[in-house]
C-alpha cells in the first residue's frame, strides 16, 4: 500500500471506532442477528469499515462462479466417477456410506437447482491478487441475507462520504430468493411448496427466515420448514410426489444436512431417500453433496482431471484459481523438494492445512495442531484426510464489532459469490440460468485460522474498490 493510501486507511479506521453504537443498532434494527446460547438475540459480528479490495480479484471471483457451477453440475451427474473417487473414503466413513446408500437404485432424471457459494481468497503473488478457491459450497450456503444487510449497513454508515460510492454492491438475499422463486415458477406446480430443511437447535435462523418471508410475501410461493427427522417420520410419497403436513413438496432446500450431527436417527436418513426417490428437487441432491467433498476438490485440482469435465480453456482458468492438494501418503514435488506430502507439510506447518474430507466448519488442523494430527493419522484413517496448500495474502487492518464493542485487528479476507444455477433436466447441456451474483465476505482476525462467523473472530464484511 502506498503511503498516502496507508494514511487514508489509518484515519478511516480511527473514525470507524466511533460508529460502534450506530452500527450495532442498525444491525439489530435490520435483522443482522443470531440466537445466543441462552436464547437471547445478539447482533452478528460485522465489520465497521469495508475491506479495501483489489478490482481484479473481485471481478475474477465473480466470473469464476458460473464456471464452477457448470463444473460441479457435470461432476455431480457422473455417478461412476463419484464412486471411483470416493470409494476408498467411503469404506472408512459411515457418513459417506449413508449418503451413497441414500441414492435410489434407479436414478431419476430431475431438474437440477443450485444455490452455491464459491469461497475464494486473494492470493498475492507478483503484484497480482489472484482468487484462489478455499472451497465450493454446494450445500446450505448461508449468510446471503446477512451479508446484503451488512452491505446496507456500510452504505448507511458512510452515506455522506466518498467511500460510499466505492462499496461493491451486494443483493445476495434478493438474488437467492429470486433463484428459488424462478425455479419454482419454471419447474413446480403452483401449489408445490419449497421445504426448508433446518437442523434442530440452529442458531443462525434469521438469515433463513428472511428468505422464507421474501418467498412467501414477495413471490407468493408456498413455504414449509422441517427437520430431517420430522420429514423422515411424517413424509410420504404419493404418485411419485413427496407430501408433508398435507402439502405437496416440490423443492427441498437444505440449510443443514452437511454434517453427521444433523442426522439424529434413522428417520433423518429416510428423509434423504424420500427426497431422492420422489420427484422433489433436492438443493442439493445427494450426488451434488458427494461432489462437494474435499476428495473431489483434490481430484479437480489437477488440470488434466478438470479437462474431463470442461474445455481446455475453461480448465486453464479454473486451474489458476486452485492451490496444491495432496493425499497424506502421496509422493509430491513441492517448491523444489520431493517427498511424502505428510513430511513436507509437517516441516512447513504454516504452508499447509490438514482437512477431513467433509463440510461443516471447525474441522481443520493448522500449524502445530496439524503436525500433531499427522503423527496420529496413519493407514486407513489417513484416507479420510487431505492436505491443502495455504493461500497466502498480506494482512490488513480492520475493525470488527462484537457485542457492540469495536475491536481492531490484523485481518485476512475471504469472498464468496453465490452461484445460482438451474438445469431443467440433468442431461441438458444449457442451463436456464447460471450466475455469479451477490456475495458473502468474511474477514477474520489472523490470530484465528478457521474463522467461523459465529465464533466472533470472523465477521461479515463488504468490499470497496
Ligand atoms: P469448512 O468446510 O469447514 O467450511 P473450509 O475448507 O472452508 O472448511 O475451511 C474453513 C476456513 O479455514 C476457511 O474459511 C478459511 O478461513 C480457512 N482455510 C481453509 N483452507 C485454507 C487455505 N488453503 N488457505 C488459507 N485458509 C484456509
Ligand atoms: Mg468453508
Amino acid at each position: 500500500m502506498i503511503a498516502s493510501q496507508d494514511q487514508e486507511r489509518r484515519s478511516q479506521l480511527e473514525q470507524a471506532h466511533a460508529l460502534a453504537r450506530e452500527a450495532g443498532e442498525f444491525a439489530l434494527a435490520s435483522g443482522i442477528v443470531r440466537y445466543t446460547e441462552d436464547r437471547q438475540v445478539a447482533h452478528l459480528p460485522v465489520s465497521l469499515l469495508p475491506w479495501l479490495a483489489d478490482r481484479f480479484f473481485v471481478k475474477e471471483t465473480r466470473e469464476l462462479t458460473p464456471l464452477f457451477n457448470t463444473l460441479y453440475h457435470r461432476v455431480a451427474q457422473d455417478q461412476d466417477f463419484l464412486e471411483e473417487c470416493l470409494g476408498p473414503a467411503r469404506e472408512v466413513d459411515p457418513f459417506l456410506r449413508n449418503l451413497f446408500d441414500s441414492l435410489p437404485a434407479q436414478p431419476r432424471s430431475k431438474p437440477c437447482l443450485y444455490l452455491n457459494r464459491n469461497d475464494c481468497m486473494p492470493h498475492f503473488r507478483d503484484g497480482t491478487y489472484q482468487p484462489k478457491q478455499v472451497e465450493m459450497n454446494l450445500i446450505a450456503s448461508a449468510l446471503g441475507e446477512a451479508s446484503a444487510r451488512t452491505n446496507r449497513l456500510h452504505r448507511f454508515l458512510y452515506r455522506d462520504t466518498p467511500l460510499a460510492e466505492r462499496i461493491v454492491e451486494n443483493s445476495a438475499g434478493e438474488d437467492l430468493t429470486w433463484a428459488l422463486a424462478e425455479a419454482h415458477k419454471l419447474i413446480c406446480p403452483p401449489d408445490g411448496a419449497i421445504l426448508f430443511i433446518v437442523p434442530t437447535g440452529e442458531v443462525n435462523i434469521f438469515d433463513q427466515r428472511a428468505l422464507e418471508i421474501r418467498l412467501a410475501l414477495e413471490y407468493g410461493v408456498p413455504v414449509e420448514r422441517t427437520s430431517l427427522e420430522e420429514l423422515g417420520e411424517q413424509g410420504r410419497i404419493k404418485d411419485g410426489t413427496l407430501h408433508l403436513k398435507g402439502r405437496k413438496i416440490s423443492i427441498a432446500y437444505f440449510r443443514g444436512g452437511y454434517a453427521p450431527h444433523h442426522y439424529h436417527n434413522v428417520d433423518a436418513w429416510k428423509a434423504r431417500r424420500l427426497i431422492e426417490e420422489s420427484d422433489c428437487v433436492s438443493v442439493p441432491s445427494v450426488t451434488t453433496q458427494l461432489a462437494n467433498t474435499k476428495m473431489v476438490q483434490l481430484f479437480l485440482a489437477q488440470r488434466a482431471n478438470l479437462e474431463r469435465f470442461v474445455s481446455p480453456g475453461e480448465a486453464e482458468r479454473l486451474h489458476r484459481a486452485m492451490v496444491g492438494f495432496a493425499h497424506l501418503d502421496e509422493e509430491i514435488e513441492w517448491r523444489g523438494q520431493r517427498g511424502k506430502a505428510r513430511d513436507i507439510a509437517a516441516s512447513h506447518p504454516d504452508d499447509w492445512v490438514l482437512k477431513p474430507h467433509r463440510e461443516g466448519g471447525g474441522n481443520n488442523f493448522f500449524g502445530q495442531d496439524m503436525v500433531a494430527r499427522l503423527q496420529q493419522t496413519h493407514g486407513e484413517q489417513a484416507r479420510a484426510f487431505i492436505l491443502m496448500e495455504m493461500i497466502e495474502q498480506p494482512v490488513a487492518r480492520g475493525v470488527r464489532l462484537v457485542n457492540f464493542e469495536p475491536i481492531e485487528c490484523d485481518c485476512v479476507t475471504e469472498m464468496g459469490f453465490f452461484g445460482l444455477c438451474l438445469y431443467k433436466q440433468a442431461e441438458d447441456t444449457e442451463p436456464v440460468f447460471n450466475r455469479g451474483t451477490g456475495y458473502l465476505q468474511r474477514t477474520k482476525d489472523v490470530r484465528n485460522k478457521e474463522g467461523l462467523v459465529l465464533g466472533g473472530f470472523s465477521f461479515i464484511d463488504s468490499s470497496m474498490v
Side-chain angles (χ1 to χ4, degrees):
M1 215 187 270
I2 50 177
S4 63
Q5 270 181 335
D6 214 9
Q7 223 167 34
E8 188 191 359
R9 185 77 181 170
R10 187 68 255 149
S11 85
Q12 286 168 350
L13 283 162
E14 274 157 25
Q15 285 161 20
H17 283 264
L19 299 170
R21 181 172 177 143
E22 199 168 359
E25 286 173 357
F26 184 108
L28 291 179
S30 61
I32 310 172
V33 292
R34 56 168 296 201
Y35 277 125
T36 60
E37 265 155 31
D38 51 355
R39 275 325 237 194
Q40 303 292 307
V41 172
H43 75 79
L44 285 165
V46 288
S47 137
L48 288 179
L49 178 65
W51 180 264
L52 186 54
D54 176 73
R55 236 173 242 280
F56 170 76
F57 168 74
V58 174
K59 182 169 179 284
E60 184 67 3
T61 303
R62 185 199 300 269
E63 289 178 9
L64 282 165
T65 304
L67 296 180
F68 273 111
N69 286 344
T70 307
L71 170 68
Y72 275 99
H73 167 69
R74 292 184 185 154
V75 171
Q77 302 324 306
D78 193 340
Q79 212 167 306
D80 292 341
F81 162 74
L82 291 171
E83 305 244 1
E84 180 194 319
C85 190
L86 297 171
R90 172 189 184 169
E91 283 167 34
V92 291
D93 183 341
F95 186 67
L96 274 187
R97 203 156 48 234
N98 278 322
L99 279 175
F100 272 108
D101 290 347
S102 306
L103 290 169
Q106 293 297 325
R108 298 181 67 114
S109 178
K110 294 190 203 180
C112 300
L113 174 63
Y114 301 92
L115 273 65
N116 301 336
R117 206 186 60 231
N118 173 30
D119 287 344
C120 293
M121 284 180 157
H123 185 71
F124 188 66
R125 175 106 7 126
D126 305 328
T128 309
Y129 288 89
Q130 165 67 37
K132 293 282 187 186
Q133 188 181 59
V134 177
E135 61 163 354
M136 185 77 165
N137 297 279
L138 300 150
I139 180 163
S141 306
L143 294 173
E145 276 284 353
S147 319
R149 290 165 191 223
T150 303
N151 196 265
R152 274 167 62 80
L153 161 70
H154 288 154
R155 284 189 277 133
F156 178 73
L157 293 179
Y158 294 100
R159 63 194 178 282
D160 296 325
T161 77
L163 197 150
E165 305 276 288
R166 297 166 55 196
I167 299 175
V168 179
E169 217 182 297
N170 184 3
S171 52
E174 285 166 32
D175 301 342
L176 288 162
T177 323
W178 171 85
L180 283 168
E182 186 70 7
H184 185 267
K185 187 172 84 189
L186 295 171
I187 61 174
C188 306
D191 59 343
I194 297 182
L195 180 66
F196 281 53
I197 297 183
V198 182
T200 21
E202 169 75 283
V203 291
N204 186 26
I205 217 107
F206 302 99
D207 182 66
Q208 305 158 8
R209 282 286 190 196
L211 274 188
E212 195 184 325
I213 295 164
R214 274 184 199 280
L215 276 173
L217 295 183
E218 292 171 27
Y219 292 93
V221 172
V223 281
E224 263 305 331
R225 284 171 87 75
T226 194
S227 64
L228 280 166
E229 291 72 28
E230 186 179 56
L231 176 60
E233 195 188 316
Q234 297 180 24
R236 297 286 175 269
I237 300 176
K238 292 182 208 152
D239 301 324
T241 299
L242 182 61
H243 286 71
L244 180 72
K245 301 178 190 168
R247 262 195 165 148
K248 280 188 206 162
I249 305 298
S250 298
I251 295 178
Y253 171 47
F254 280 81
R255 291 297 298 252
Y258 49 84
H261 69 263
H262 296 160
Y263 296 77
H264 295 293
N265 57 26
V266 288
D267 282 334
W269 287 107
K270 187 174 164 209
R272 291 307 294 253
R273 289 196 297 278
L274 283 172
I275 297 167
E276 292 292 318
E277 282 163 14
S278 68
D279 55 22
C280 179
V281 174
S282 194
V283 185
S285 66
V286 166
T287 58
T288 302
Q289 191 171 347
L290 288 167
N292 201 189
T293 45
K294 306 282 196 258
M295 291 299 168
V296 171
Q297 194 183 4
L298 177 151
F299 178 89
L300 294 174
Q302 301 279 340
R303 188 152 158 201
N305 294 339
L306 279 171
E307 286 185 18
R308 184 163 160 177
F309 298 102
V310 295
S311 72
E314 288 165 332
E316 190 190 331
R317 193 168 178 192
L318 292 169
H319 188 249
R320 231 179 290 138
M322 295 174 182
V323 293
F325 285 82
H327 291 288
L328 276 54
D329 293 307
E330 184 183 345
E331 280 277 314
I332 58 163
E333 179 110 22
W334 184 75
R335 297 191 186 162
Q337 261 180 290
R338 219 185 146 72
K340 247 193 192 179
R342 62 160 70 236
D343 299 332
I344 290 181
S347 51
H348 299 88
D350 292 335
D351 297 320
W352 292 86
V353 44
L354 177 67
K355 301 186 173 189
H357 55 77
R358 73 161 75 100
E359 281 296 282
N363 298 314
N364 300 332
F365 297 89
F366 297 90
Q368 289 308 319
D369 294 341
M370 171 185 77
V371 177
R373 187 68 209 205
L374 280 171
Q375 282 163 359
Q376 297 159 16
T377 309
H378 291 280
E380 294 248 296
Q381 287 308 319
R383 289 195 217 156
F385 286 89
I386 56 122
L387 283 161
M388 179 183 187
E389 254 185 298
M390 284 293 279
I391 305 163
E392 288 161 31
Q393 58 174 304
V395 297
R397 295 297 279 174
V399 197
R400 67 182 184 273
L401 185 76
V402 181
N403 297 328
F404 278 81
E405 221 31 75
I407 305 170
E408 198 174 313
C409 54
D410 282 329
C411 318
V412 292
T413 205
E414 178 170 347
M415 184 180 211
F417 277 90
F418 287 91
L420 311 176
C421 183
L422 172 68
Y423 289 83
K424 262 200 166 159
Q425 287 303 324
E427 50 288 342
D428 286 357
T429 47
E430 287 303 316
V432 184
F433 57 79
N434 183 9
R435 310 181 172 173
T437 172
Y439 62 93
L440 165 64
Q441 181 147 11
R442 269 171 307 174
T443 299
K444 65 177 185 186
D445 192 320
V446 283
R447 286 172 302 169
N448 183 273
K449 293 271 191 241
E450 182 94 28
L452 292 173
V453 169
L454 297 182
F457 282 97
S458 160
F459 46 103
I460 305 175
D461 208 345
S462 301
S463 268
M464 64 176 184
V465 290

